[in-house]
Amino acid sequence: MPADLHIHTNFSDGTFSPEEIVRKARDAGLTVISITDHDIVDGIEPALAEGRKLGIRVIPGIEFTTDLPDTEIHILGYFIDHKAEWLKDLLFKIREDRKNRIYKIVEKLKKLGAAVSAEDIIGLAGKGSVGRPHVARALVNSGFVGTVQEAFNKYLNNSGPAYVQHFRLSPVDAIHTIIKAGGIPVFAHPSVSRRDELIPELAAEGLAGIEVYYGKHSDLQVKHYQALARKNGLLMTGGTDFHGLGTGRDIQLGDIKLNDKFITKLEERLKK
Ligand code: AMP
Ligand code: ZN
Ligand code: FE
Ligand code: FE
């Protein structure tokens, strides 16, 4: 049962619908996937429905961006109760501020010479969670930059001239939120956040796993995070962080195939 536990749909900044993701996952030889959109759970039901048709298991998931000076930590949640009203309310609030932030980003971009409209960018996300990748796509569409990658490198990355934060939870609050929703909190792509030193204290707050298997991780990094997981009594997960086409990322569905035993371990944790 090969699995990929980190996938985005067009309910956040991915380019494929949940149904398309399930079909692509099947074509790539996956049998278990988790939909982990940023700050939204609305893609989960459509994925579950398509998964039932095609015999693909879909684990409800989420990815929270959390707030730390100088860096971002992303916390994944697995097996969350995606129907919980309080959770949907919280996510709605975060998404509203994601929209507000787009206006601020557009103001900064205007001063930098780019003419893109906040309404158009928000429109690109539809009813979903709007983010910097949508801004990047609008900048490409307007011809101001050639690629999404260029938009991030020159303007949108965390230290870029058009960067604006949105309301986000602290890492500890994200962990507690996922636990309250019945889920398992996991530290996403630790090599990207580069704050390994926080892992013991987050584990003490309920962090249950580390995303050891990740597209950009070298063999050495995988070994490093395996050791860190063992040392802190954490589970190991993995996924591609697939976002679709034209998103400035090369990785494809099927490039990471997590062994069954990791899913079993997550399920054992749920029973505790
Ligand atoms: P946001 O959540 O709106 O702050 O946007 C962050 C998202 O942008 C991340 O989750 C990635 O999907 C994407 N992203 C961040 N940096 C890059 C980059 N250098 N190239 C392409 N996508 C990126
Ligand atoms: Zn993303
Ligand atoms: Fe992430
Ligand atoms: Fe992600």
Side-chain angles (χ1 to χ4, degrees):
M1 292 222 298
D4 183 337
L5 297 184
H6 192 157
I7 303 175
H8 295 271
T9 77
N10 59 3
F11 278 86
S12 66
D13 53 6
T15 62
F16 292 112
S17 69
E19 291 88 348
E20 286 170 328
I21 288 291
V22 172
R23 290 195 285 272
K24 283 181 170 296
R26 177 202 54 193
D27 295 346
L30 295 162
T31 59
V32 183
I33 60 169
S34 184
I35 300 295
T36 53
D37 277 317
H38 302 282
D39 305 321
I40 190 162
V41 289
D42 300 19
I44 294 171
E45 276 300 318
L48 280 167
E50 190 68 12
R52 277 192 289 272
K53 276 193 222 158
L54 302 184
I56 303 293
R57 182 174 180 198
V58 176
I59 297 173
I62 184 120
E63 183 172 20
F64 281 109
T65 303
T66 70
D67 188 21
L68 276 187
D70 311 325
T71 186
E72 261 180 24
I73 287 183
H74 293 187
I75 305 280
L76 294 156
Y78 294 116
F79 295 102
I80 49 162
D81 174 9
H82 61 287
K83 294 183 178 166
E85 286 301 325
W86 67 266
L87 178 63
K88 288 196 217 167
D89 290 347
L90 170 67
L91 296 176
F92 182 79
K93 192 172 133 194
I94 296 174
R95 292 201 302 276
E96 283 300 294
D97 199 57
R98 279 182 165 277
K99 277 187 206 162
N100 295 337
R101 162 223 212 192
I102 297 298
Y103 289 88
K104 297 179 194 160
I105 293 179
V106 164
E107 276 305 305
K108 287 193 165 188
L109 284 170
K110 198 186 275 177
K111 291 190 183 122
L112 294 160
V116 282
S117 109
E119 286 76 15
D120 288 353
I121 293 166
I122 292 166
L124 287 176
K127 287 185 189 153
S129 186
V130 68
R132 281 179 282 164
H134 300 103
V135 181
R137 279 173 224 165
L139 287 171
V140 173
N141 293 344
S142 76
F144 189 67
V145 293
T147 63
V148 162
Q149 203 53 59
E150 186 187 345
F152 271 96
N153 291 346
K154 287 192 182 158
Y155 303 102
L156 298 173
N157 71 56
N158 289 39
S159 48
Y163 178 72
V164 179
Q165 271 202 3
H166 61 82
F167 166 72
R168 69 271 300 278
L169 303 174
S170 71
V172 170
D173 285 345
I175 288 167
H176 292 172
T177 298
I178 290 163
I179 292 171
K180 186 177 163 194
I184 299 177
V186 171
F187 196 116
H189 43 65
S191 60
V192 178
S193 304
R194 304 212 275 170
R195 297 302 297 270
D196 290 359
E197 75 279 9
L198 296 176
I199 288 174
E201 52 194 272
L202 295 179
E205 292 289 346
L207 183 76
I210 307 182
E211 193 173 44
V212 169
Y213 304 95
Y214 189 70
K216 288 186 201 157
H217 286 180
S218 64
D219 290 350
L220 207 66
Q221 283 174 316
V222 167
K223 285 202 173 67
H224 168 74
Y225 290 114
Q226 283 171 335
L228 207 58
R230 287 196 190 99
K231 192 171 157 203
N232 290 282
L234 296 169
L235 299 166
M236 302 178 204
T237 71
T240 53
D241 207 359
F242 182 65
H243 277 70
L245 299 177
T247 56
R249 299 161 183 262
D250 295 332
I251 199 154
Q252 298 299 323
L253 287 181
D255 285 353
I256 288 186
K257 288 183 169 164
L258 198 64
N259 188 290
D260 216 10
K261 67 181 182 194
F262 294 101
I263 311 292
T264 309
K265 291 234 187 270
L266 287 173
E267 288 175 313
E268 283 169 8
R269 173 62 61 105
L270 273 184
K271 290 183 198 131
K272 280 186 191 159

